[in-house]
Amino acid sequence: MKGFVFHGPGQSAWSDVPDPEVKEPTDAVVRVDTTTICGTDLHILKGDLPEVRPGTVLGHEAVGEIVEVGDDVRTVRPGDRVLVSCISACGRCHYCRESAYGQCRGGGGWILGHLIDGTQAEYVRVPFADLSVYALPGMVESKDAVLLADIFPTAYEVGVRKGHVRPSDTVAIVGAGPIGLAAIATARLFGPERIIAVDLAASRLEAARRLGADAVADAGEVPEQLVADLTDGLGADVVIEAVGVPESFELCTRMVRPGGRVANIGVHGAPAVLHLEDLWSRNVTITTGLVDTHSTPTLLRMAAAGRLPTAQLVTHSFLPDQMEEAYDVFARATDTGALKVVLGEPSHDEVAVRAA
């Protein structure tokens, strides 16, 4: 089969790789119909995650059809259309018993496209299939469902829920890429007084307005001043970091009010300075996290009911063999306006287009 293979920092290719097969009785093999590219994949290509071995097929998000299952799989069978979660869960370890699947110690956690071959391929082996794939309702289109593999549960769980967004809060979200935009959409479910989006790209700030941001700020123009002006000098109740660079994290700590919460989502490949000389007396709570995906069933029901603006985040569609072009478009988001790029064979009423 074909897959998108990481060969080392700055080196990758859509090339021939061995077909996956069931190795454990809890495995499933899925024929990938739709996949997408995550900002974390760009971090891998930069060399920010050295545990990813050269030769690994990237990707941790997919929608597809079950083609084979191991003898112990009970919840899905060949022919089922499923969402492949970015997190695999053994279901037996201490953390899985607490629904903290991202911290699985039984061989799961974030392994697809990280420690084992991932979803940017024609087929993928999914360990622990009973807890790691979700049967999809027919009314949820694949291009929408694939956004529930990672960005929506990550934004909701690691950003909105860990940030304890509440009615009347001022929420500042630093980074208006796909994760930040999903954080805007899911924060709105809790009725904050205002949401402020911060980014360097005008196109992403415009997308933030469409998704429900009440105010936007250019990251290069002292956005903490806008937050102060809108809150009578107090700062934001919740600040969500959705970029993953030292400057954005440090900006978040300057925006938060005394007693406020900073929820870090971004994947950081370099150290950030924690200015305890300023923060120690301000009762600030800082949280980090890898998504657990325990919210995926809830988000799937919301998507089926039309309550999540998934379609608004998809800006580019490609055929699978256009993977390298898709990566180029996604990596140059400031120039291309890309939010989420989706790769898959078009249905009878869809046409895949090449981005300029």
Side-chain angles (χ1 to χ4, degrees):
M1 70 170 187
K2 294 286 189 180
F4 189 70
V5 182
F6 170 70
H7 292 295
Q11 303 176 60
S12 57
W14 178 252
S15 56
D16 291 323
V17 293
D19 292 344
E21 57 186 23
V22 168
K23 295 181 178 179
E24 302 291 341
T26 53
D27 288 351
V29 174
V30 176
R31 178 176 59 78
V32 175
D33 295 328
T34 306
T35 187
T36 184
I37 302 170
C38 180
T40 304
D41 298 321
L42 299 183
H43 280 280
I44 293 172
L45 290 179
K46 287 169 57 182
D48 289 344
L49 286 86
E51 65 270 24
V52 181
R53 300 188 305 271
T56 301
V57 175
L58 296 187
H60 49 267
E61 305 159 89
V63 170
E65 180 182 319
I66 300 284
V67 296
E68 186 180 1
V69 296
D71 291 340
D72 289 350
V73 176
R74 296 289 181 264
T75 61
V76 291
R77 60 186 180 182
D80 286 350
R81 178 172 170 261
V82 296
L83 170 70
V84 178
S85 175
C86 66
I87 297 295
S88 303
C90 79
R92 297 179 178 180
C93 72
H94 171 81
Y95 288 106
C96 284
R97 287 177 176 269
E98 296 181 341
S99 297
Y101 305 129
Q103 303 303 318
C104 175
R105 292 297 183 266
W110 174 37
I111 56 175
L112 290 174
H114 180 210
L115 304 180
I116 66 173
D117 286 339
T119 60
Q120 290 169 6
E122 295 176 311
Y123 294 85
V124 61
R125 179 180 71 91
V126 182
F128 311 117
D130 280 333
L131 282 173
S132 306
V133 302
Y134 299 85
L136 283 174
M139 70 283 290
V140 180
E141 294 188 29
S142 295
K143 66 182 180 181
D144 298 323
V146 75
L147 303 192
L148 304 183
D150 184 354
I151 67 164
F152 269 93
T154 295
Y156 179 67
E157 295 175 19
V158 185
V160 175
R161 298 298 286 157
K162 283 201 171 186
H164 295 285
V165 174
R166 298 176 296 205
S168 81
D169 276 353
T170 291
V171 180
I173 298 173
V174 178
I179 290 284
L181 294 175
I184 292 171
T186 51
R188 292 185 67 211
L189 301 172
F190 293 86
E193 179 178 354
R194 64 174 67 87
I195 297 174
I196 304 165
V198 179
D199 202 281
L200 288 168
S203 61
R204 292 193 164 189
L205 293 177
E206 180 56 35
R209 285 194 182 276
R210 293 196 302 270
L211 267 292
D214 301 287
V216 299
D218 187 315
E221 297 181 359
V222 197
E224 56 264 52
Q225 186 59 55
L226 172 64
V227 172
D229 291 344
L230 291 174
T231 59
D232 295 325
L234 289 178
D237 300 278
V238 181
V239 186
I240 296 174
E241 199 284 338
V243 181
V245 298
E247 295 80 6
S248 60
F249 176 79
E250 292 168 32
L251 172 61
C252 290
T253 63
R254 297 196 298 272
M255 286 182 168
V256 68
R257 70 166 175 84
R261 288 90 66 194
V262 175
N264 182 88
I265 300 177
V267 177
H268 289 265
V273 176
L274 181 63
H275 287 285
L276 284 176
E277 74 278 12
D278 297 324
L279 295 171
W280 75 269
S281 62
R282 295 175 58 202
N283 296 9
V284 172
T285 298
I286 298 174
T287 60
T288 66
L290 175 66
V291 65
D292 294 313
T293 66
H294 59 73
S295 68
T296 301
T298 298
L299 294 171
L300 274 172
R301 290 194 298 271
M302 294 182 67
R307 295 290 305 279
L308 294 178
T310 50
Q312 296 185 48
L313 273 70
V314 177
T315 55
H316 296 72
S317 297
F318 296 89
L319 297 173
D321 62 4
Q322 296 174 299
M323 186 70 72
E324 294 179 17
E325 182 180 353
Y327 260 90
D328 177 64
V329 168
F330 185 63
R332 296 186 300 108
T334 301
D335 299 324
T336 63
L339 295 175
K340 281 302 266 188
V341 302
V342 170
L343 298 103
E345 296 293 343
S347 64
H348 68 279
D349 59 350
E350 294 176 343
V351 177
V353 296
R354 289 182 180 267

